[in-house]
Amino acid sequence: MRRALALVALLASASAPALAAPQPGAAYGDGMVLQRGEPILISGSAAPGSTVEGMLGTDTARAMAGSDGSFTLSFPARDATLDGISLTLRDSTGETVLHDILIGDVYLCSGQSNMELTVNRALNTWNELRLSPDDGIRLLKIPNTTAPVPQTKFSEPVAWHAADADSVAEFSAACYYMGKQLRADHRDVPLGLIHSNWGGSAARAWFTPESVANMYGDEALAQLRLYQRDPLAAAQAFVPQWYDWWRANDKGREPWADSSMLDWKPIPKFSFWNEWTGTGLDTNPQANVWLRQTIDLTAQQAAGEGALAIGAIDDLDLTWVNGHPVGYTFGWGVERTYRVPAEYLHEGENEILIAANNMWDTGGFFAGPDRLSFTPAGGSAIPLGADWEYSIGTVAGVPPRAPWDANAGLGVMHNYMIAPLGPMRLKGVAWYQGEADVGQPDYDAKLRELFAGWRRQFGPQTRMLVVQLADFGARHSEPTASGWAQLRQDQLDGVAADSNAALVTAIDIGEPNDIHPANKNDLGKRLAYAAEGKAMPMPRSASFSGDNILVTFTGVEGDLQALGGPYPLGVEVCGNTQESCRWAVPTLDGQRMVIGVNDGQPVSRVRYAWSDAPIVNLYDAREIPVPGFELPVTK
C-alpha cells in the first residue's frame, strides 16, 4: 500500500508543471541596451515568494518576488560600454541568462504616423540602408495593440536587433536618424532605440492611469476597468452619452428604438460605402450611416446567450440587437464580436442595427460578408449575408468616443505598448504627435500629464523631445486662423513649462499636400541636437519700444537670418480679434526681431508662421528654424 501511494505521488509530481526559472520583463532580452549613469532596474516574474538573485556583469542584486510573482532588481549605475555583458536571473527553480547586453543611452520614440513612418519611406533610402549596419545601435519595435488596463506583456514577443538593412528598413525614420546622429557624435556610447507608435493616435491614448485620472477623472478609469471585466456592461454604461448626443442633433429622434422612422435602401454592394456610386457617400464618405439586417431564430436558438460578429467597421460603430445596445468600438481594422444576452433575443425575426461613423477616408464594411455571423449558444454560426440595408443619417459630426476606443481611448496604447517596458531607465523620449489633436483644447496640459506619467515609469531624468508639427494644408496670402498653428503653440507652451524638455520644429520640412513628409533625415538630426542638450530656438518675449516691437529669443546660435530674402516671412501683428491681424515687415538685429508699428491699429499680439502650411525663412546660424509662435506684446 505504501509503495502504491509513493507511485501515485511520483506520477502526480511528474504530471504537474515544473516551476519556471525567473523570467525578465517583456522588453528585456538578448542584445538590449541599458541606460548608463542611472541605477539599472530589471523587472520580471518568478515563483511567488521566491528570492531572486541577479548578476549583471560582476554586479549582484537580490529581491523577493511578490504574491503575483513580480520582482524588480536594482543594480548600480554603470558607464557606457560597447563590450557585451550578461545578465543572470536565478532562484531555487533554475536560472535564465541574457547575453550581449550593452550599456549606453536608451530612447523611446513614440507618437502617431509621422513618428511611425519608416526608413524605407523616407529620403535617400537605398544609401541609408546600405550604410546602416552598426552593432552599437540596437532596435526594439513594439507591436500595435490596445488594452483598457495596464499589461505586463506585449501582445506578442519582442526582440532587440542590431541595426542593419533589414532591421532599419521598417523602423521609425525620425528615431533611427536621431540615433544615427547621436552615434556619429558619440562613437563610444551605444544607442538603444524603442519604436512604439500608432498612426492616427490621440495624445490621451498614451497616458498612464494616473494621468487619465488627473485629466478625465476617476469615473473614466472605472469605465475602463469595467470594460476589461465586462464589455457589454461597459457599453451600456457609456451609451447614454451617445443617446444624448444623437437626440440633441436629430431633433430628439431615437432611430434605435424604432428603425422604421429611417429611409432604408438596399446597399449597392457589400464594400466600403465610398464605392456606392450615386449614393452621395461616394463623394462625401464622412458621414453617420445606419445599417440594418434581420435574422430568423428558432425558439431554441433564442433561448441562450449568443455572439454577434459584425466584422470590422470603419471607423466607429454602436450596435443594437432588437433595440438593445450590445457593443461600441472604434478602430477601422478591429473586428467586432459582441455578447448578446438571451433576454435580448426572441423566436422569429430579430433586428441587428448598426450606427456607423466614418471620419476620414474609407467608411463602412472593412471586410467581406463571410466575417459577419450570429452564433447561438451551443449552435453553429448563422451567416448574416451581404443583403444589408442602409440609411444615411441626417446628423453630421463624430459621436462621443468611449474611454476604451482604439485610437483615442484613455491610456489604451500606454497600457499595451508602454506599460510592459517596465521600470527601465531612459535617457529620453522623442514624441511626434498632435495631428489627431488639432482643434481640441489643452494640448499643453496633455503634454504635462504625458511627461509626468512617463517619468513616473522611466525615471525623473527622462528628457522629453517634442516635434512641433510640420507644415501641411492650404497656404494663404492673408493672415488666417489656424488649428495647426494653435496646436504648435500648445506644443511650445507645454515644452516651455518643463525644465527638461525641448521643442524641435518641423515647420519648414513638411509637404503641404502630404501629411507624412519624407524628410525625416533632417528631423532626426535636429532631435539628436536637442537630445544632447543643445539649445533650440524659442521665442521669449515681445515688448513695445517706442514705435517698435522688440521680439527676443532664447536658444539661438549666432545671429538670426532670413534665408532667401531681406526679411522674415509670415510675421503678423494682431489686436484682440482674428480680423485685426495683418502682415508686418520686420528687420533683424542680431538675435532680436524688430517690428515697426505705426499704422494706428491696436496691437496686443505678435505671430510668426501662424498658418497650417506657412512659408518660413527665419533661421539661426546653424540653419535651425525658429518655431511658429504667438506672443503677447507687453508695454
Side-chain angles (χ1 to χ4, degrees):
M1 180 67 177
R2 200 175 288 127
R3 289 178 60 189
L5 290 173
L7 179 60
V8 170
L10 178 61
L11 291 172
S13 64
S15 63
L19 292 175
Q23 297 298 310
Y28 299 88
D30 293 333
M32 72 178 302
V33 180
L34 296 172
Q35 180 59 43
R36 62 172 171 154
E38 295 289 331
I40 295 174
L41 302 181
I42 306 292
S43 63
S45 59
S50 65
T51 297
V52 179
E53 296 178 346
M55 177 173 288
L56 180 65
T58 58
D59 294 329
T60 60
R62 177 178 294 187
M64 179 174 289
S67 59
D68 61 351
S70 64
F71 68 84
T72 300
L73 296 170
S74 179
F75 294 94
R78 300 176 72 99
D79 294 330
T81 178
L82 288 161
D83 297 323
I85 60 175
S86 296
L87 169 68
T88 301
L89 304 175
R90 181 185 298 112
D91 68 5
S92 59
T93 66
E95 69 177 27
T96 300
V97 182
L98 302 182
H99 301 281
D100 191 28
I101 296 172
L102 305 182
I103 309 298
D105 287 337
V106 185
Y107 288 89
L108 168 63
C109 299
S110 189
Q112 58 182 108
S113 53
N114 269 304
M115 184 61 86
E116 189 176 41
L117 187 139
T118 55
V119 170
N120 60 12
R121 293 178 57 196
L123 300 179
N124 196 29
T125 299
W126 186 85
N127 279 319
E128 293 291 355
L129 293 180
R130 181 175 61 85
L131 299 172
S132 63
D134 183 352
D135 191 56
I137 298 179
R138 305 288 176 85
L139 309 176
L140 181 68
K141 192 170 181 179
I142 306 303
N144 287 20
T145 322
T146 63
V149 298
Q151 306 294 302
T152 58
K153 296 180 180 179
F154 299 113
S155 60
E156 58 189 67
V158 298
W160 290 81
H161 298 281
D164 61 24
D166 291 333
S167 62
V168 166
E170 295 295 329
F171 200 79
S172 162
C175 190
Y176 169 71
Y177 290 125
M178 176 184 73
K180 180 180 178 180
Q181 184 64 50
L182 288 170
R183 279 284 289 150
D185 294 344
H186 307 281
R187 293 300 302 172
D188 57 339
V189 180
L191 262 294
L193 303 177
I194 303 171
H195 166 127
S196 185
N197 305 283
W198 194 311
S201 59
R204 65 185 191 172
W206 300 95
F207 282 4
T208 63
E210 296 89 342
S211 293
V212 169
N214 290 341
M215 285 289 290
Y216 302 102
D218 291 334
E219 183 180 349
L221 274 184
Q223 285 191 353
L224 288 165
R225 292 167 184 152
L226 176 59
Y227 185 80
Q228 175 73 7
R229 298 191 306 271
D230 187 344
L232 176 62
Q236 293 177 330
F238 168 76
V239 157
Q241 298 178 47
W242 196 100
Y243 285 172
D244 289 344
W245 177 85
W246 189 274
R247 292 189 196 100
N249 289 279
D250 196 22
K251 300 178 181 179
R253 297 202 307 166
E254 298 182 344
W256 55 90
D258 179 9
S259 64
S260 66
M261 69 177 61
L262 300 176
D263 180 22
W264 293 100
K265 298 177 183 178
I267 64 172
K269 61 178 178 177
F270 197 96
S271 67
F272 289 125
W273 61 53
N274 309 57
E275 302 174 20
W276 297 354
T277 305
T279 65
L281 294 170
D282 52 337
T283 56
N284 181 23
Q286 297 180 11
N288 291 290
V289 177
W290 295 87
L291 303 165
R292 184 171 70 171
Q293 180 62 289
T294 59
I295 55 171
D296 286 324
L297 299 178
T298 66
Q300 182 179 359
Q301 290 170 328
E305 182 176 286
L308 175 66
I310 60 169
I313 300 292
D314 191 345
D315 296 307
L316 183 157
D317 79 284
L318 179 57
T319 298
W320 296 261
V321 172
N322 295 324
H324 300 283
V326 295
Y328 164 101
T329 303
F330 175 95
W332 46 84
V334 179
E335 297 227 0
R336 283 88 156 147
T337 299
Y338 298 137
R339 178 167 67 89
V340 183
E343 56 266 30
Y344 293 0
L345 303 169
H346 53 248
E347 181 182 4
E349 187 176 83
N350 291 257
E351 180 186 71
I352 299 166
L353 187 68
I354 300 172
N357 171 270
N358 175 49
M359 59 190 70
W360 183 76
D361 199 19
T362 52
F365 294 115
F366 192 92
D370 59 303
R371 310 300 298 171
L372 284 69
S373 63
F374 176 79
T375 304
S380 300
I382 303 170
L384 297 182
D387 55 340
W388 287 66
E389 296 178 296
Y390 80 99
S391 177
I392 301 175
T394 58
V395 175
V398 180
R401 306 276 290 272
W404 58 84
D405 91 19
N407 281 59
L410 303 180
V412 295
M413 293 178 187
H414 168 271
N415 292 339
Y416 226 150
M417 299 176 65
I418 301 295
L421 292 170
M424 64 169 58
R425 303 295 88 171
L426 299 179
K427 180 74 170 181
V429 171
W431 174 251
Y432 193 167
Q433 190 279 338
E435 297 92 338
D437 286 72
V438 169
Q440 300 180 31
D442 303 324
Y443 192 82
D444 51 344
K446 294 175 185 176
L447 287 181
R448 181 192 67 227
E449 288 300 333
L450 184 83
F451 294 172
W454 286 11
R455 283 176 176 144
R456 282 191 292 268
Q457 180 172 349
F458 301 122
Q461 79 291 333
T462 306
R463 182 165 173 77
M464 301 294 175
L465 313 174
V466 175
V467 179
Q468 190 188 48
L469 294 186
D471 46 314
F472 168 74
R475 286 183 163 163
H476 299 276
S477 59
E478 297 295 334
T480 183
S482 169
W484 281 66
Q486 184 59 59
L487 195 285
R488 294 187 190 109
Q489 180 65 36
D490 290 345
Q491 290 177 313
L492 190 155
D493 291 340
V495 167
D498 191 280
S499 62
N500 190 23
L503 187 75
V504 177
T505 190
I507 200 166
D508 62 326
I509 53 177
E511 299 173 21
N513 60 353
D514 189 347
I515 199 170
H516 302 122
N519 188 2
K520 299 299 190 285
N521 312 53
D522 286 335
L523 176 62
K525 292 177 182 179
R526 294 175 186 176
L527 282 166
Y529 298 156
E532 293 171 330
K534 297 176 181 176
M536 307 299 283
M538 289 280 281
R540 180 172 62 184
S541 66
S543 60
F544 284 105
S545 177
D547 290 335
N548 295 323
I549 298 172
L550 301 182
V551 182
T552 63
F553 300 86
T554 61
V556 172
E557 186 171 300
D559 290 342
L560 290 170
Q561 54 180 332
L563 299 181
Y567 56 84
L569 300 173
V571 179
E572 307 171 33
V573 291
C574 303
N576 294 327
T577 66
Q578 173 60 43
E579 293 71 26
S580 68
C581 294
R582 62 269 189 200
W583 296 125
V585 179
T587 59
L588 298 177
D589 177 19
Q591 296 187 350
R592 304 188 305 177
M593 180 191 296
V594 182
I595 305 171
V597 284
N598 53 12
D599 59 5
Q601 298 184 55
V603 177
S604 59
R605 297 170 290 158
V606 171
R607 287 176 169 175
Y608 170 66
W610 198 268
S611 175
D612 292 1
I615 297 173
V616 300
N617 67 337
L618 182 59
Y619 293 80
D620 73 359
R622 299 167 296 180
E623 296 192 9
I624 301 294
V626 171
F629 66 85
E630 179 182 84
L631 284 173
V633 182
T634 61
K635 298 294 185 181

